[in-house]
Amino acid sequence: MHCIEVHDGLLVLWWVPGAHVNAPDVLAAYEGIRSLSDGYVLPMVMHLRGVAGIDPAARLVILEGSLTSRIAFVGSGPVDQVLAAFLAHARSETLYSESASDAEAWARGVSSCNG
């Protein structure tokens, strides 16, 4: 139902296209996060493209979780943006972006400042 990788201290999670994410799916993803993060609280990029829906119980698990320091949601349009808004009140800082590279930079705390 999902794939999780860690790259230089950044967790990246993809859901299977067409997935309707439920609480057991999120709990299974959390097990992967715990395994890959080795006890550290890392930032994460969660790809929402192609997700059919997230049920209310899954939303509660995500909102109550504290396994990541910040979560950048990556999507490709209004449906993904609504899904990200549905999850925007997590304990972690959140951001929605249609650019994976911008999402990764934000999740890592990298920004460009001028002046």
Side-chain angles (χ1 to χ4, degrees), residues 7-20:
H7 300 284
D8 299 321
L10 178 69
L11 295 160
V12 182
L13 183 143
W14 292 268
W15 295 104
V16 172
H20 189 87

Side-chain angles (χ1 to χ4, degrees), residues 11-50:
L11 295 160
V12 182
L13 183 143
W14 292 268
W15 295 104
V16 172
H20 189 87
V21 180
N22 59 35
D25 298 329
V26 174
L27 292 171
Y30 277 8
E31 286 305 313
I33 290 168
R34 280 187 196 96
S35 173
L36 290 171
S37 61
D38 196 29
Y40 293 95
V41 178
L42 302 174
M44 180 170 67
V45 173
M46 182 185 299
H47 291 268
L48 297 173
R49 292 181 180 131

Side-chain angles (χ1 to χ4, degrees), residues 21 24 26 30 35 40 42-44 46-47 52-53 67-68 70-71 88 97 99 101-102 104 106 108 112 114:
V21 180
V26 174
Y30 277 8
S35 173
Y40 293 95
L42 302 174
M44 180 170 67
M46 182 185 299
H47 291 268
L67 297 178
T68 60
R70 13 176 49 189
I71 304 172
S97 178
S99 163
S101 59
D102 288 351
E104 288 182 17
W106 179 84
R108 291 180 186 281
S112 174
N114 188 356

Side-chain angles (χ1 to χ4, degrees), residues 49-83:
R49 292 181 180 131
V51 171
I54 299 173
D55 74 23
R59 178 182 186 256
L60 286 176
V61 173
I62 292 169
L63 293 178
E64 292 174 358
S66 59
L67 297 178
T68 60
S69 58
R70 13 176 49 189
I71 304 172
F73 299 104
V74 179
S76 60
V79 172
D80 295 338
Q81 195 166 11
V82 168
L83 289 174

